[in-house]
Amino acid sequence: MIGKSVIKIGGSLLFTKDKELDIIKIQEFCQIFKKIEYSGTHVIVCGGGRIARVYIDAVRSFHGNEALCDTFGIDLSQINSKLLISSFQDFAYPLVPKTMEELSLALLFGKIIVMGGLQPGQSTTSVALEVTEFIQAEELVILTDVEGIYDKDPKKFNDAKLLKSLTYAELQDIIINSSGDKQAAAGEYRIFDAVSLQILKRSKIKIRVMSGKDLKEFEKFWRGEEDITCTVISD
Ligand code: UTP
């Protein structure tokens, strides 16, 4: 079993198509951790999802600046984390770490840790990379609403192809080609933002991006299986 891992769960995965909290999905996700005997250090970083975007849009309509909008995204990602902790019950550390110092303290308890955003100007993917670097985890798993990274937007193009592996340089090209003006706005940081790319380059972290909509692939990963549908990003 994996010694140290960091898992980023996109906030959108916590909600149903009808914009309701997906309670069954949240329980299913936590169950994967509960039912397998494990030891080691596991940190889950949870995103803000739709609910964060609703608040960010409201603040923007009041002419709030992007940094203020980001603080709403951070707060909502921490609320989502608190919700996951309540589903984990005794399996999780009861507080959401809000700084790396608080994370250091939480690590002493040997339980699953769930946390959200840290500071404005980045996404929770950057937080996940910062945490992976900080705890020296073997790899980072990013659970998103598609099966990995594609050569073009799979939500817009039917012929988009899943990329099985990517180097950091290839990932950078994809990010640069796909980012529009809004890429660095609150609530708009895509799977990888500029900060995450910088941390990736200096830390040489291995990442697997896989579906969190259908948790089958993640279960396989958790059981230590190798044949997983995902995109592997490495140096
Ligand atoms: P994310 O955009 O990372 O959430 O954080 P998400 O729901 O996981 O995104 P998807 O589903 O993967 O696309 C929500 C917002 O919170 C702010 C940003 O505005 C971000 O868009 N945030 C988050 C920060 O400002 N700093 C952080 O450290 C994390």
mmCIF file of all heavy atoms in Angstrom, residues 43-92:
data_model
loop_
_atom_site.group_PDB
_atom_site.id
_atom_site.type_symbol
_atom_site.label_atom_id
_atom_site.label_comp_id
_atom_site.label_asym_id
_atom_site.label_seq_id
_atom_site.Cartn_x
_atom_site.Cartn_y
_atom_site.Cartn_z
ATOM 1 N N VAL A 43 -3.218 12.816 2.456
ATOM 2 C CA VAL A 43 -3.819 14.146 2.525
ATOM 3 C C VAL A 43 -4.737 14.324 1.316
ATOM 4 O O VAL A 43 -4.326 14.088 0.171
ATOM 5 C CB VAL A 43 -2.742 15.256 2.528
ATOM 6 C CG1 VAL A 43 -3.394 16.635 2.653
ATOM 7 C CG2 VAL A 43 -1.737 15.044 3.667
ATOM 8 N N ILE A 44 -5.972 14.720 1.575
ATOM 9 C CA ILE A 44 -6.931 14.990 0.495
ATOM 10 C C ILE A 44 -7.083 16.508 0.392
ATOM 11 O O ILE A 44 -7.304 17.178 1.407
ATOM 12 C CB ILE A 44 -8.296 14.333 0.812
ATOM 13 C CG1 ILE A 44 -8.140 12.811 0.854
ATOM 14 C CG2 ILE A 44 -9.344 14.748 -0.210
ATOM 15 C CD1 ILE A 44 -9.313 12.086 1.485
ATOM 16 N N VAL A 45 -6.949 17.021 -0.815
ATOM 17 C CA VAL A 45 -7.152 18.463 -1.025
ATOM 18 C C VAL A 45 -8.440 18.612 -1.836
ATOM 19 O O VAL A 45 -8.571 18.040 -2.919
ATOM 20 C CB VAL A 45 -5.955 19.101 -1.767
ATOM 21 C CG1 VAL A 45 -6.232 20.577 -2.023
ATOM 22 C CG2 VAL A 45 -4.671 18.927 -0.952
ATOM 23 N N CYS A 46 -9.386 19.345 -1.272
ATOM 24 C CA CYS A 46 -10.708 19.440 -1.889
ATOM 25 C C CYS A 46 -10.897 20.810 -2.550
ATOM 26 O O CYS A 46 -10.519 21.842 -1.990
ATOM 27 C CB CYS A 46 -11.749 19.206 -0.791
ATOM 28 S SG CYS A 46 -13.407 19.108 -1.431
ATOM 29 N N GLY A 47 -11.500 20.824 -3.722
ATOM 30 C CA GLY A 47 -11.739 22.077 -4.449
ATOM 31 C C GLY A 47 -13.018 22.773 -4.021
ATOM 32 O O GLY A 47 -13.729 22.304 -3.128
ATOM 33 N N GLY A 48 -13.295 23.887 -4.679
ATOM 34 C CA GLY A 48 -14.462 24.704 -4.313
ATOM 35 C C GLY A 48 -15.726 24.309 -5.065
ATOM 36 O O GLY A 48 -16.830 24.405 -4.521
ATOM 37 N N GLY A 49 -15.557 23.865 -6.320
ATOM 38 C CA GLY A 49 -16.712 23.434 -7.099
ATOM 39 C C GLY A 49 -17.678 24.557 -7.431
ATOM 40 O O GLY A 49 -17.371 25.738 -7.297
ATOM 41 N N ARG A 50 -18.869 24.132 -7.858
ATOM 42 C CA ARG A 50 -19.907 25.060 -8.300
ATOM 43 C C ARG A 50 -20.260 26.105 -7.242
ATOM 44 O O ARG A 50 -20.429 27.285 -7.529
ATOM 45 C CB ARG A 50 -21.154 24.228 -8.620
ATOM 46 C CG ARG A 50 -22.237 24.973 -9.320
ATOM 47 C CD ARG A 50 -23.431 24.064 -9.452
ATOM 48 N NE ARG A 50 -23.159 22.916 -10.322
ATOM 49 C CZ ARG A 50 -23.248 22.975 -11.637
ATOM 50 N NH1 ARG A 50 -23.564 24.105 -12.220
ATOM 51 N NH2 ARG A 50 -23.031 21.905 -12.366
ATOM 52 N N ILE A 51 -20.324 25.652 -6.010
ATOM 53 C CA ILE A 51 -20.739 26.557 -4.930
ATOM 54 C C ILE A 51 -19.761 27.731 -4.796
ATOM 55 O O ILE A 51 -20.171 28.883 -4.594
ATOM 56 C CB ILE A 51 -20.920 25.779 -3.595
ATOM 57 C CG1 ILE A 51 -21.567 26.648 -2.519
ATOM 58 C CG2 ILE A 51 -19.638 25.199 -3.059
ATOM 59 C CD1 ILE A 51 -22.997 26.302 -2.303
ATOM 60 N N ALA A 52 -18.470 27.464 -4.993
ATOM 61 C CA ALA A 52 -17.466 28.541 -4.921
ATOM 62 C C ALA A 52 -17.710 29.525 -6.052
ATOM 63 O O ALA A 52 -17.638 30.745 -5.857
ATOM 64 C CB ALA A 52 -16.064 27.948 -5.022
ATOM 65 N N ARG A 53 -18.027 28.990 -7.232
ATOM 66 C CA ARG A 53 -18.236 29.872 -8.391
ATOM 67 C C ARG A 53 -19.471 30.739 -8.218
ATOM 68 O O ARG A 53 -19.497 31.893 -8.656
ATOM 69 C CB ARG A 53 -18.285 29.052 -9.670
ATOM 70 C CG ARG A 53 -16.868 28.806 -10.138
ATOM 71 C CD ARG A 53 -16.594 27.590 -10.947
ATOM 72 N NE ARG A 53 -15.160 27.345 -10.912
ATOM 73 C CZ ARG A 53 -14.575 26.366 -10.244
ATOM 74 N NH1 ARG A 53 -15.305 25.517 -9.544
ATOM 75 N NH2 ARG A 53 -13.271 26.229 -10.247
ATOM 76 N N VAL A 54 -20.506 30.215 -7.561
ATOM 77 C CA VAL A 54 -21.721 31.013 -7.318
ATOM 78 C C VAL A 54 -21.366 32.229 -6.453
ATOM 79 O O VAL A 54 -21.740 33.363 -6.750
ATOM 80 C CB VAL A 54 -22.803 30.148 -6.621
ATOM 81 C CG1 VAL A 54 -23.956 30.997 -6.117
ATOM 82 C CG2 VAL A 54 -23.315 29.067 -7.575
ATOM 83 N N TYR A 55 -20.592 31.995 -5.397
ATOM 84 C CA TYR A 55 -20.194 33.095 -4.504
ATOM 85 C C TYR A 55 -19.247 34.070 -5.207
ATOM 86 O O TYR A 55 -19.373 35.290 -5.085
ATOM 87 C CB TYR A 55 -19.539 32.543 -3.230
ATOM 88 C CG TYR A 55 -20.566 32.150 -2.184
ATOM 89 C CD1 TYR A 55 -21.256 30.942 -2.275
ATOM 90 C CD2 TYR A 55 -20.865 32.995 -1.133
ATOM 91 C CE1 TYR A 55 -22.211 30.585 -1.343
ATOM 92 C CE2 TYR A 55 -21.824 32.651 -0.180
ATOM 93 C CZ TYR A 55 -22.494 31.434 -0.291
ATOM 94 O OH TYR A 55 -23.433 31.096 0.629
ATOM 95 N N ILE A 56 -18.289 33.510 -5.958
ATOM 96 C CA ILE A 56 -17.316 34.367 -6.657
ATOM 97 C C ILE A 56 -18.042 35.285 -7.655
ATOM 98 O O ILE A 56 -17.771 36.483 -7.723
ATOM 99 C CB ILE A 56 -16.226 33.496 -7.337
ATOM 100 C CG1 ILE A 56 -15.289 32.926 -6.272
ATOM 101 C CG2 ILE A 56 -15.439 34.303 -8.376
ATOM 102 C CD1 ILE A 56 -14.324 31.863 -6.763
ATOM 103 N N ASP A 57 -19.020 34.716 -8.388
ATOM 104 C CA ASP A 57 -19.780 35.540 -9.351
ATOM 105 C C ASP A 57 -20.529 36.655 -8.635
ATOM 106 O O ASP A 57 -20.615 37.782 -9.127
ATOM 107 C CB ASP A 57 -20.773 34.666 -10.137
ATOM 108 C CG ASP A 57 -20.054 33.768 -11.129
ATOM 109 O OD1 ASP A 57 -18.853 34.003 -11.372
ATOM 110 O OD2 ASP A 57 -20.692 32.815 -11.630
ATOM 111 N N ALA A 58 -21.092 36.354 -7.450
ATOM 112 C CA ALA A 58 -21.838 37.376 -6.699
ATOM 113 C C ALA A 58 -20.893 38.497 -6.263
ATOM 114 O O ALA A 58 -21.198 39.681 -6.440
ATOM 115 C CB ALA A 58 -22.511 36.738 -5.484
ATOM 116 N N VAL A 59 -19.714 38.120 -5.746
ATOM 117 C CA VAL A 59 -18.757 39.135 -5.272
ATOM 118 C C VAL A 59 -18.286 39.986 -6.451
ATOM 119 O O VAL A 59 -18.157 41.211 -6.355
ATOM 120 C CB VAL A 59 -17.553 38.464 -4.556
ATOM 121 C CG1 VAL A 59 -16.510 39.496 -4.152
ATOM 122 C CG2 VAL A 59 -18.032 37.692 -3.336
ATOM 123 N N ARG A 60 -18.073 39.324 -7.610
ATOM 124 C CA ARG A 60 -17.639 40.071 -8.795
ATOM 125 C C ARG A 60 -18.714 41.069 -9.235
ATOM 126 O O ARG A 60 -18.410 42.172 -9.656
ATOM 127 C CB ARG A 60 -17.339 39.070 -9.908
ATOM 128 C CG ARG A 60 -16.166 39.499 -10.739
ATOM 129 C CD ARG A 60 -15.791 38.451 -11.760
ATOM 130 N NE ARG A 60 -14.663 37.650 -11.358
ATOM 131 C CZ ARG A 60 -14.568 36.328 -11.549
ATOM 132 N NH1 ARG A 60 -15.557 35.665 -12.101
ATOM 133 N NH2 ARG A 60 -13.486 35.686 -11.181
ATOM 134 N N SER A 61 -19.988 40.683 -9.083
ATOM 135 C CA SER A 61 -21.061 41.609 -9.480
ATOM 136 C C SER A 61 -21.129 42.816 -8.542
ATOM 137 O O SER A 61 -21.676 43.853 -8.880
ATOM 138 C CB SER A 61 -22.403 40.884 -9.553
ATOM 139 O OG SER A 61 -22.859 40.615 -8.249
ATOM 140 N N PHE A 62 -20.549 42.678 -7.334
ATOM 141 C CA PHE A 62 -20.453 43.837 -6.424
ATOM 142 C C PHE A 62 -19.140 44.600 -6.674
ATOM 143 O O PHE A 62 -18.722 45.409 -5.856
ATOM 144 C CB PHE A 62 -20.437 43.393 -4.944
ATOM 145 C CG PHE A 62 -21.615 42.540 -4.531
ATOM 146 C CD1 PHE A 62 -21.459 41.535 -3.565
ATOM 147 C CD2 PHE A 62 -22.882 42.747 -5.056
ATOM 148 C CE1 PHE A 62 -22.529 40.749 -3.160
ATOM 149 C CE2 PHE A 62 -23.963 41.957 -4.650
ATOM 150 C CZ PHE A 62 -23.779 40.957 -3.713
ATOM 151 N N HIS A 63 -18.449 44.250 -7.770
ATOM 152 C CA HIS A 63 -17.167 44.852 -8.152
ATOM 153 C C HIS A 63 -16.050 44.493 -7.171
ATOM 154 O O HIS A 63 -15.098 45.263 -6.990
ATOM 155 C CB HIS A 63 -17.272 46.381 -8.318
ATOM 156 C CG HIS A 63 -18.369 46.761 -9.263
ATOM 157 N ND1 HIS A 63 -18.303 46.501 -10.609
ATOM 158 C CD2 HIS A 63 -19.584 47.319 -9.034
ATOM 159 C CE1 HIS A 63 -19.424 46.888 -11.172
ATOM 160 N NE2 HIS A 63 -20.225 47.381 -10.253
ATOM 161 N N GLY A 64 -16.173 43.353 -6.527
ATOM 162 C CA GLY A 64 -15.094 42.879 -5.655
ATOM 163 C C GLY A 64 -13.885 42.515 -6.508
ATOM 164 O O GLY A 64 -14.039 42.050 -7.639
ATOM 165 N N ASN A 65 -12.690 42.759 -5.994
ATOM 166 C CA ASN A 65 -11.492 42.441 -6.788
ATOM 167 C C ASN A 65 -11.216 40.928 -6.785
ATOM 168 O O ASN A 65 -11.833 40.171 -6.032
ATOM 169 C CB ASN A 65 -10.282 43.244 -6.295
ATOM 170 C CG ASN A 65 -9.971 42.933 -4.840
ATOM 171 O OD1 ASN A 65 -9.773 41.775 -4.467
ATOM 172 N ND2 ASN A 65 -9.941 43.962 -3.997
ATOM 173 N N GLU A 66 -10.283 40.512 -7.656
ATOM 174 C CA GLU A 66 -10.018 39.073 -7.828
ATOM 175 C C GLU A 66 -9.476 38.416 -6.556
ATOM 176 O O GLU A 66 -9.804 37.275 -6.250
ATOM 177 C CB GLU A 66 -9.045 38.854 -8.994
ATOM 178 C CG GLU A 66 -9.652 39.136 -10.351
ATOM 179 C CD GLU A 66 -10.920 38.327 -10.613
ATOM 180 O OE1 GLU A 66 -10.888 37.088 -10.485
ATOM 181 O OE2 GLU A 66 -11.956 38.945 -10.929
ATOM 182 N N ALA A 67 -8.668 39.166 -5.799
ATOM 183 C CA ALA A 67 -8.118 38.589 -4.561
ATOM 184 C C ALA A 67 -9.246 38.329 -3.563
ATOM 185 O O ALA A 67 -9.270 37.293 -2.879
ATOM 186 C CB ALA A 67 -7.072 39.518 -3.955
ATOM 187 N N LEU A 68 -10.204 39.257 -3.508
ATOM 188 C CA LEU A 68 -11.347 39.053 -2.609
ATOM 189 C C LEU A 68 -12.156 37.836 -3.078
ATOM 190 O O LEU A 68 -12.563 36.994 -2.264
ATOM 191 C CB LEU A 68 -12.228 40.319 -2.593
ATOM 192 C CG LEU A 68 -13.462 40.242 -1.689
ATOM 193 C CD1 LEU A 68 -13.063 40.123 -0.216
ATOM 194 C CD2 LEU A 68 -14.362 41.469 -1.877
ATOM 195 N N CYS A 69 -12.360 37.749 -4.390
ATOM 196 C CA CYS A 69 -13.082 36.589 -4.946
ATOM 197 C C CYS A 69 -12.366 35.296 -4.560
ATOM 198 O O CYS A 69 -13.001 34.308 -4.169
ATOM 199 C CB CYS A 69 -13.177 36.693 -6.467
ATOM 200 S SG CYS A 69 -14.256 38.002 -7.042
ATOM 201 N N ASP A 70 -11.033 35.303 -4.692
ATOM 202 C CA ASP A 70 -10.248 34.118 -4.327
ATOM 203 C C ASP A 70 -10.508 33.701 -2.873
ATOM 204 O O ASP A 70 -10.597 32.506 -2.571
ATOM 205 C CB ASP A 70 -8.744 34.397 -4.491
ATOM 206 C CG ASP A 70 -8.261 34.195 -5.924
ATOM 207 O OD1 ASP A 70 -8.942 33.494 -6.694
ATOM 208 O OD2 ASP A 70 -7.186 34.729 -6.255
ATOM 209 N N THR A 71 -10.633 34.690 -1.976
ATOM 210 C CA THR A 71 -10.828 34.331 -0.557
ATOM 211 C C THR A 71 -12.160 33.588 -0.370
ATOM 212 O O THR A 71 -12.270 32.710 0.481
ATOM 213 C CB THR A 71 -10.790 35.557 0.385
ATOM 214 O OG1 THR A 71 -11.878 36.426 0.079
ATOM 215 C CG2 THR A 71 -9.478 36.312 0.294
ATOM 216 N N PHE A 72 -13.142 33.937 -1.215
ATOM 217 C CA PHE A 72 -14.408 33.188 -1.140
ATOM 218 C C PHE A 72 -14.204 31.755 -1.636
ATOM 219 O O PHE A 72 -14.734 30.806 -1.058
ATOM 220 C CB PHE A 72 -15.509 33.898 -1.953
ATOM 221 C CG PHE A 72 -16.164 35.003 -1.178
ATOM 222 C CD1 PHE A 72 -15.573 36.251 -1.071
ATOM 223 C CD2 PHE A 72 -17.363 34.788 -0.517
ATOM 224 C CE1 PHE A 72 -16.155 37.272 -0.334
ATOM 225 C CE2 PHE A 72 -17.953 35.797 0.227
ATOM 226 C CZ PHE A 72 -17.353 37.046 0.324
ATOM 227 N N GLY A 73 -13.417 31.620 -2.707
ATOM 228 C CA GLY A 73 -13.120 30.272 -3.220
ATOM 229 C C GLY A 73 -12.423 29.436 -2.148
ATOM 230 O O GLY A 73 -12.737 28.259 -1.947
ATOM 231 N N ILE A 74 -11.482 30.064 -1.446
ATOM 232 C CA ILE A 74 -10.735 29.361 -0.391
ATOM 233 C C ILE A 74 -11.699 28.922 0.719
ATOM 234 O O ILE A 74 -11.697 27.763 1.152
ATOM 235 C CB ILE A 74 -9.609 30.273 0.172
ATOM 236 C CG1 ILE A 74 -8.558 30.540 -0.918
ATOM 237 C CG2 ILE A 74 -8.963 29.659 1.416
ATOM 238 C CD1 ILE A 74 -7.570 31.643 -0.582
ATOM 239 N N ASP A 75 -12.549 29.866 1.167
ATOM 240 C CA ASP A 75 -13.494 29.535 2.247
ATOM 241 C C ASP A 75 -14.412 28.376 1.848
ATOM 242 O O ASP A 75 -14.647 27.455 2.629
ATOM 243 C CB ASP A 75 -14.366 30.759 2.596
ATOM 244 C CG ASP A 75 -13.576 31.824 3.343
ATOM 245 O OD1 ASP A 75 -12.447 31.527 3.787
ATOM 246 O OD2 ASP A 75 -14.086 32.948 3.478
ATOM 247 N N LEU A 76 -14.915 28.434 0.613
ATOM 248 C CA LEU A 76 -15.834 27.370 0.181
ATOM 249 C C LEU A 76 -15.116 26.023 0.044
ATOM 250 O O LEU A 76 -15.683 24.984 0.384
ATOM 251 C CB LEU A 76 -16.517 27.756 -1.136
ATOM 252 C CG LEU A 76 -17.864 28.500 -1.031
ATOM 253 C CD1 LEU A 76 -18.825 27.780 -0.106
ATOM 254 C CD2 LEU A 76 -17.751 29.928 -0.592
ATOM 255 N N SER A 77 -13.855 26.050 -0.390
ATOM 256 C CA SER A 77 -13.110 24.782 -0.491
ATOM 257 C C SER A 77 -12.887 24.215 0.915
ATOM 258 O O SER A 77 -12.879 22.993 1.110
ATOM 259 C CB SER A 77 -11.785 24.970 -1.229
ATOM 260 O OG SER A 77 -10.912 25.799 -0.487
ATOM 261 N N GLN A 78 -12.749 25.102 1.889
ATOM 262 C CA GLN A 78 -12.566 24.620 3.272
ATOM 263 C C GLN A 78 -13.880 24.078 3.845
ATOM 264 O O GLN A 78 -13.878 23.111 4.611
ATOM 265 C CB GLN A 78 -11.984 25.748 4.133
ATOM 266 C CG GLN A 78 -10.532 26.041 3.723
ATOM 267 C CD GLN A 78 -9.928 27.259 4.401
ATOM 268 O OE1 GLN A 78 -10.633 28.016 5.058
ATOM 269 N NE2 GLN A 78 -8.634 27.444 4.229
ATOM 270 N N ILE A 79 -14.995 24.677 3.450
ATOM 271 C CA ILE A 79 -16.305 24.148 3.876
ATOM 272 C C ILE A 79 -16.512 22.754 3.261
ATOM 273 O O ILE A 79 -16.937 21.813 3.932
ATOM 274 C CB ILE A 79 -17.455 25.095 3.418
ATOM 275 C CG1 ILE A 79 -17.457 26.368 4.255
ATOM 276 C CG2 ILE A 79 -18.811 24.398 3.489
ATOM 277 C CD1 ILE A 79 -18.075 26.223 5.627
ATOM 278 N N ASN A 80 -16.176 22.625 1.969
ATOM 279 C CA ASN A 80 -16.291 21.305 1.321
ATOM 280 C C ASN A 80 -15.408 20.285 2.046
ATOM 281 O O ASN A 80 -15.799 19.122 2.225
ATOM 282 C CB ASN A 80 -15.862 21.390 -0.147
ATOM 283 C CG ASN A 80 -16.885 22.101 -1.017
ATOM 284 O OD1 ASN A 80 -18.043 22.221 -0.639
ATOM 285 N ND2 ASN A 80 -16.458 22.583 -2.168
ATOM 286 N N SER A 81 -14.227 20.722 2.473
ATOM 287 C CA SER A 81 -13.306 19.816 3.190
ATOM 288 C C SER A 81 -13.931 19.382 4.517
ATOM 289 O O SER A 81 -13.853 18.211 4.907
ATOM 290 C CB SER A 81 -11.976 20.520 3.479
ATOM 291 O OG SER A 81 -11.401 20.972 2.287
ATOM 292 N N LYS A 82 -14.557 20.337 5.180
ATOM 293 C CA LYS A 82 -15.191 20.033 6.470
ATOM 294 C C LYS A 82 -16.309 18.999 6.293
ATOM 295 O O LYS A 82 -16.520 18.123 7.129
ATOM 296 C CB LYS A 82 -15.758 21.348 7.039
ATOM 297 C CG LYS A 82 -15.921 21.375 8.517
ATOM 298 C CD LYS A 82 -16.223 22.781 8.992
ATOM 299 C CE LYS A 82 -16.886 22.730 10.347
ATOM 300 N NZ LYS A 82 -17.245 24.056 10.848
ATOM 301 N N LEU A 83 -16.992 19.130 5.147
ATOM 302 C CA LEU A 83 -18.060 18.164 4.844
ATOM 303 C C LEU A 83 -17.486 16.757 4.661
ATOM 304 O O LEU A 83 -18.023 15.775 5.188
ATOM 305 C CB LEU A 83 -18.789 18.613 3.572
ATOM 306 C CG LEU A 83 -20.033 17.828 3.218
ATOM 307 C CD1 LEU A 83 -21.160 18.166 4.181
ATOM 308 C CD2 LEU A 83 -20.465 18.124 1.792
ATOM 309 N N LEU A 84 -16.358 16.671 3.939
ATOM 310 C CA LEU A 84 -15.712 15.361 3.752
ATOM 311 C C LEU A 84 -15.271 14.801 5.104
ATOM 312 O O LEU A 84 -15.437 13.611 5.380
ATOM 313 C CB LEU A 84 -14.502 15.480 2.833
ATOM 314 C CG LEU A 84 -14.735 15.582 1.335
ATOM 315 C CD1 LEU A 84 -13.405 15.611 0.598
ATOM 316 C CD2 LEU A 84 -15.539 14.399 0.830
ATOM 317 N N ILE A 85 -14.735 15.658 5.963
ATOM 318 C CA ILE A 85 -14.291 15.207 7.289
ATOM 319 C C ILE A 85 -15.480 14.628 8.058
ATOM 320 O O ILE A 85 -15.366 13.592 8.713
ATOM 321 C CB ILE A 85 -13.642 16.376 8.077
ATOM 322 C CG1 ILE A 85 -12.309 16.762 7.422
ATOM 323 C CG2 ILE A 85 -13.436 16.008 9.554
ATOM 324 C CD1 ILE A 85 -11.663 18.013 7.986
ATOM 325 N N SER A 86 -16.635 15.266 7.933
ATOM 326 C CA SER A 86 -17.799 14.768 8.678
ATOM 327 C C SER A 86 -18.215 13.399 8.151
ATOM 328 O O SER A 86 -18.720 12.562 8.897
ATOM 329 C CB SER A 86 -18.961 15.766 8.641
ATOM 330 O OG SER A 86 -19.532 15.780 7.363
ATOM 331 N N SER A 87 -17.987 13.148 6.861
ATOM 332 C CA SER A 87 -18.307 11.828 6.317
ATOM 333 C C SER A 87 -17.252 10.791 6.726
ATOM 334 O O SER A 87 -17.570 9.626 6.962
ATOM 335 C CB SER A 87 -18.417 11.930 4.795
ATOM 336 O OG SER A 87 -18.518 10.671 4.222
ATOM 337 N N PHE A 88 -16.007 11.205 6.852
ATOM 338 C CA PHE A 88 -14.939 10.288 7.283
ATOM 339 C C PHE A 88 -15.077 9.909 8.757
ATOM 340 O O PHE A 88 -14.553 8.891 9.190
ATOM 341 C CB PHE A 88 -13.567 10.944 7.089
ATOM 342 C CG PHE A 88 -12.959 10.723 5.740
ATOM 343 C CD1 PHE A 88 -12.658 11.791 4.919
ATOM 344 C CD2 PHE A 88 -12.674 9.439 5.295
ATOM 345 C CE1 PHE A 88 -12.080 11.588 3.668
ATOM 346 C CE2 PHE A 88 -12.093 9.218 4.052
ATOM 347 C CZ PHE A 88 -11.801 10.309 3.242
ATOM 348 N N GLN A 89 -15.749 10.759 9.505
ATOM 349 C CA GLN A 89 -15.882 10.581 10.970
ATOM 350 C C GLN A 89 -14.501 10.389 11.613
ATOM 351 O O GLN A 89 -13.608 11.172 11.336
ATOM 352 C CB GLN A 89 -16.834 9.439 11.279
ATOM 353 C CG GLN A 89 -18.237 9.750 10.771
ATOM 354 C CD GLN A 89 -19.192 8.610 10.924
ATOM 355 O OE1 GLN A 89 -18.817 7.450 10.870
ATOM 356 N NE2 GLN A 89 -20.450 8.941 11.093
ATOM 357 N N ASP A 90 -14.324 9.334 12.411
ATOM 358 C CA ASP A 90 -13.078 9.179 13.170
ATOM 359 C C ASP A 90 -11.836 8.911 12.324
ATOM 360 O O ASP A 90 -10.725 8.940 12.823
ATOM 361 C CB ASP A 90 -13.218 8.028 14.173
ATOM 362 C CG ASP A 90 -14.120 8.437 15.316
ATOM 363 O OD1 ASP A 90 -14.413 9.649 15.423
ATOM 364 O OD2 ASP A 90 -14.546 7.552 16.084
ATOM 365 N N PHE A 91 -12.052 8.608 11.033
ATOM 366 C CA PHE A 91 -10.899 8.306 10.172
ATOM 367 C C PHE A 91 -10.086 9.559 9.855
ATOM 368 O O PHE A 91 -8.942 9.477 9.462
ATOM 369 C CB PHE A 91 -11.363 7.681 8.851
ATOM 370 C CG PHE A 91 -11.648 6.220 8.964
ATOM 371 C CD1 PHE A 91 -12.834 5.769 9.514
ATOM 372 C CD2 PHE A 91 -10.708 5.288 8.527
ATOM 373 C CE1 PHE A 91 -13.095 4.425 9.629
ATOM 374 C CE2 PHE A 91 -10.959 3.941 8.639
ATOM 375 C CZ PHE A 91 -12.156 3.498 9.194
ATOM 376 N N ALA A 92 -10.736 10.722 9.992
ATOM 377 C CA ALA A 92 -10.049 11.952 9.574
ATOM 378 C C ALA A 92 -9.699 12.830 10.764
ATOM 379 O O ALA A 92 -10.386 12.843 11.790
ATOM 380 C CB ALA A 92 -10.930 12.720 8.598
#
